Amino acid sequence: IYFSQSFSVYDLSNLENIERIYNLPVYQPGTIYPIFIEEPFFYLAQERVLRIFDISDPDTLLQVGAYNNHWDQGRGTKDILVQEGIIYLTGGQGGLNIIDATNPDRIELISNYSDGGDFREIQIVEDIAYITDMRFGLRIIDLADLNEPDSLGSLYIARPSEICVRENYAYVGSDTTSATSLIMVDISDPENFLKEFNVKVINCLDDMDEVSI
């Protein structure tokens, strides 16, 4: 989400009279920060600091925890996903940070997975993470053991952007200088991802009849 000078909370109960009910200043105006909501918490992943707010009362956002991601210089959080208090942060060349925030007063790093890639967007289905990687394309990582994530393989996709996983397919955007494409990857058997996969490429400029939302 884009912040000009602050993050705001709006009351949408009356669409004819939308009201701002809270304003949260940020420290780097104009920066894009990933956010995630898993009630009762709101997670704001700034470049190097993760901040957790209690949103039980939307009139007053109360910060209940913070964590320094310790990304190296030039690296910062690219995406965030939270499942039952476990936070997954991608940090470009910093890899994947897996963080235990089940107790916001005591946030702890479970593990970091980094192998020279450039991790961006993340989706998780069951115990499998699907991550776009600017160097290697689509990455599939086994998260059955959060202490030791294990790579199941990768499929090269040029300049991957957004990713969406639905049922047996991963839909990955690819934005190159010559074309903007939607790549559909059969992930019905993630453990045999390198051995057997089916890929369909749709050029979003030429084949719009094939694209539906």
Side-chain angles (χ1 to χ4, degrees):
I1 187 166
Y2 180 82
F3 294 80
S4 57
Q5 293 183 344
S6 63
F7 173 75
S8 298
V9 178
Y10 291 88
D11 183 351
L12 302 179
S13 58
N14 182 356
L15 296 180
E16 295 181 355
N17 185 27
I18 299 175
E19 295 182 330
R20 185 170 71 176
I21 57 178
Y22 192 81
N23 187 66
L24 173 68
V26 295
Y27 301 111
Q28 292 175 282
T31 301
I32 297 175
Y33 294 129
I35 67 170
F36 198 91
I37 294 176
E38 184 182 60
E39 294 184 1
F41 299 116
F42 161 70
Y43 302 83
L44 171 61
Q46 293 178 275
E47 186 173 359
R48 290 182 178 81
V49 178
L50 169 70
R51 303 169 70 188
I52 303 176
F53 298 86
D54 188 330
I55 56 173
S56 300
D57 180 1
D59 292 325
T60 304
L61 292 185
L62 176 64
Q63 181 168 322
V64 294
Y67 179 80
N68 188 329
N69 295 312
H70 302 291
W71 301 123
D72 293 337
Q73 184 67 27
R75 303 174 183 179
T77 300
K78 308 301 182 185
D79 198 13
I80 179 173
L81 190 148
V82 184
Q83 291 185 342
E84 298 181 350
I86 303 299
I87 303 173
Y88 304 86
L89 294 177
T90 57
Q93 296 177 36
L96 172 67
N97 272 355
I98 302 176
I99 299 168
D100 184 350
T102 51
N103 181 359
D105 292 329
R106 189 176 179 180
I107 303 172
E108 297 181 328
L109 178 68
I110 298 174
S111 63
N112 168 269
Y113 180 85
S114 179
D115 60 1
D118 188 350
F119 288 11
R120 300 303 176 97
E121 299 282 327
I122 181 172
Q123 293 263 291
I124 296 177
V125 178
E126 297 180 350
D127 292 329
I128 305 295
Y130 302 87
I131 300 174
T132 57
D133 185 325
M134 292 297 286
R135 291 186 176 180
F136 299 111
L138 173 63
R139 306 291 301 274
I140 296 187
I141 298 175
D142 187 347
L143 300 176
D145 183 353
L146 295 181
N147 292 290
E148 295 185 7
D150 183 32
S151 175
L152 297 178
S154 63
L155 171 66
Y156 180 74
I157 297 173
R159 297 190 61 80
S161 52
E162 302 291 331
I163 181 171
C164 179
V165 177
R166 290 291 183 273
E167 297 181 350
N168 293 326
Y169 291 92
Y171 302 86
V172 183
S174 174
D175 189 7
T176 66
T177 56
S178 59
T180 299
S181 304
L182 174 65
I183 299 174
M184 304 168 59
V185 184
D186 186 339
I187 54 170
S188 55
D189 188 0
E191 294 187 359
N192 291 317
F193 178 68
L194 279 178
K195 300 176 183 178
E196 298 179 8
F197 57 81
N198 296 312
V199 179
K200 182 176 182 181
V201 179
I202 298 174
N203 187 313
C204 295
L205 297 179
D206 298 334
D207 304 321
M208 289 305 295
D209 290 341
E210 298 188 51
V211 180
S212 62
I213 299 177

